Each structure stands twice: as structure tokens, then as C-alpha cells.
Amino acid sequence: DAKTTQPPSMDCAEGRAANLPCNHSTISGNEYVYWYRQIHSQGPQYIIHGLKNNETNEMASLIITEDRKSSTLILPHATLRDTAVYYCIVRAFNAGGTSYGKLTFGQGTILTVHP
Amino acid sequence: KAGVTQTPRYLIKTRGQQVTLSCSPISGHRSVSWYQQTPGQGLQFLFEYFSETQRNKGNFPGRFSGRQFSNSRSEMNVSTLELGDSALYLCASRLGQYAGGEAFFGQGTRLTVV
């Protein structure tokens, strides 16, 4: 699986949009970008994933650059409860591949939302 | 529907002992993965099971083992515990066996080895 690079920490004011970048310059054509977050002392929570098109769900939006070498997770109106570690993970969608469901977590970005 | 359930939530063991942790996946999910989280190493993949078969294994010593039952529930066992095994152990379930689809994590079991 491709390696990702994220800033170690970011701050955001409550009510503003939080834009979390992720670099995955070695991503392959069959690899998806996944985002998870982990609120203190809880298990990671799935947020969103995408291949090459922008994606949006009730939690966030995912913007993937045209060359797919980087992406941005957008939390449109951050709240204090969004304070967490955010992980960007690149993973192959390869039926029958040996990686199966393995997630390779990096250090992530600590997002702090302040009042 | 109920989420991923891990038991126990907290555990204290002595060096040299063994421990068994349990994970009940979301109903209908057949794939279960285990992860270890420590402050120094972060989240690391231990192994994954599907249909009672181990499909993938991380880089951990043989003291770490697991199994999956026919009802998809899974257990992991750590023998001859070491202080460094103190960690949050997380279980994740997925619907199918292939790489696609999101994983749903439990709250974890916090193991302290003294």
C-alpha cells in the first residue's frame, strides 16, 4: 500500500471548515484513499473514501486532485466533537489480493477544534 | 444494529501470564481484523480472519495468535505476556473478505501488563 504524509497537527475554529491535507504521491491506479478518525480512547471511525472523483457524505467531503497524488478531507462546519486524530490511508481495492482488509495507519493529523 | 463488541474493556495481567481477548463483529460481517495501538508504535495490524481462516498477518511474534469461530466471533491470545504488550487492542469487522468496504472498529480492550 502507498505511503501517506499528513501534517502532525492542525487547529480550527468551531463553526469553520476544517481542511485536512494528505499527500500520497506514490498512489497506484487501483488504490483508494480512505479517511478514518479516532477520538480519544475510542476505536477509529470510518469517515469517507474515494478513488478519483470527489466524494461527499453526511460527515465530510473528500477532494482528490486530478493526478491523485494528494487529497483533502473537508469537515464543513467543525464542532468541538470533531477534535480527534485523522488518518489518511491508501489501500488497494484488489479482489483476491493478499492485503485484504489490512489498514496501514500512519501518525495522522491531530485536529483541535477550539471555541 | 449493534456495533462491534470487545470484551473485556480493561484488563490487568502479570508478566508471563497469557490473555484472551474477544471480539463480536457486527451481525452479518464475516471479516474480523485485530490491531494493537501503543503510544510509541501507533496503530499496527495484527491479523485478519475470514470464514475461520487467517487471511493476513502482521509483523508480530508467534506469542500473538487468533482464531475465528463459525459465528464470525473472534478471539486473540497473547502468551507469555511482556511489559511491552501493554496496549489498546482493537478489533474491526467488515462485511466481506476482499479489500473494499469500510471497517467498523470496536471500543477496544486496554491491556496493562505489570
Side-chain angles (χ1 to χ4, degrees):
Chain A
D1 294 335
K3 178 180 171 57
T4 63
T5 304
Q6 299 178 253
S9 64
M10 293 184 66
D11 288 335
C12 178
E14 189 177 21
R16 305 297 295 268
N19 297 282
L20 292 92
C22 179
N23 181 286
H24 32 78
S25 58
T26 60
I27 192 170
S28 299
N30 68 337
E31 290 180 319
Y32 281 65
V33 180
Y34 281 77
W35 283 84
Y36 283 79
R37 73 180 182 183
Q38 186 174 26
I39 296 170
H40 184 61
S41 297
Q42 298 183 19
Q45 177 190 24
Y46 166 82
I47 301 173
I48 197 167
H49 74 280
L51 181 63
K52 56 183 179 180
N53 297 317
N54 297 340
E55 301 288 344
T56 297
N57 62 20
E58 65 278 4
M59 289 183 67
S61 294
L62 174 60
I63 308 298
I64 302 174
T65 58
E66 191 168 343
D67 63 8
R68 303 210 320 123
K69 293 185 177 182
S70 65
S71 60
T72 301
L73 177 74
I74 300 172
L75 306 178
H77 305 288
T79 70
L80 299 179
R81 288 181 295 179
D82 291 321
T83 293
V85 180
Y86 286 78
Y87 297 99
C88 170
I89 299 168
V90 173
R91 205 182 83 194
F93 192 117
N94 183 18
T98 57
S99 65
Y100 290 100
K102 174 184 176 182
L103 295 171
T104 302
F105 290 85
Q107 295 305 307
T109 296
I110 301 172
L111 174 68
T112 303
V113 181
H114 48 86
Chain B
K1 56 183 175 182
V4 178
T5 303
Q6 292 188 246
T7 57
R9 289 293 310 279
Y10 302 92
L11 205 50
I12 300 175
K13 289 287 189 178
T14 304
R15 269 183 305 175
Q17 287 187 312
Q18 74 165 14
V19 66
T20 299
L21 311 181
S22 178
C23 172
S24 293
I26 292 171
S27 178
H29 284 198
R30 297 173 63 192
S31 173
V32 174
S33 299
W34 288 89
Y35 293 81
Q36 181 197 64
Q37 185 171 29
T38 60
Q41 299 298 318
L43 273 156
Q44 293 186 290
F45 173 80
L46 280 158
F47 27 64
E48 179 176 19
Y49 287 87
F50 179 84
S51 289
E52 303 177 64
T53 302
Q54 187 180 91
R55 293 305 184 97
N56 201 355
K57 189 177 189 305
N59 188 26
F60 279 82
R63 299 185 298 106
F64 292 80
S65 63
R67 60 177 176 169
Q68 186 180 35
F69 302 95
S70 59
N71 62 357
S72 295
R73 190 177 71 85
S74 177
E75 290 181 347
M76 68 162 284
N77 183 276
V78 187
S79 63
T80 319
L81 283 166
E82 301 176 359
L83 295 180
D85 297 332
S86 295
L88 180 66
Y89 290 88
L90 291 156
C91 165
S93 79
R94 292 187 307 117
L95 184 62
Q97 64 176 318
Y98 297 121
E102 60 265 33
F104 296 86
F105 284 81
Q107 295 286 60
T109 293
R110 184 162 298 279
L111 171 66
T112 302
V113 182
V114 298

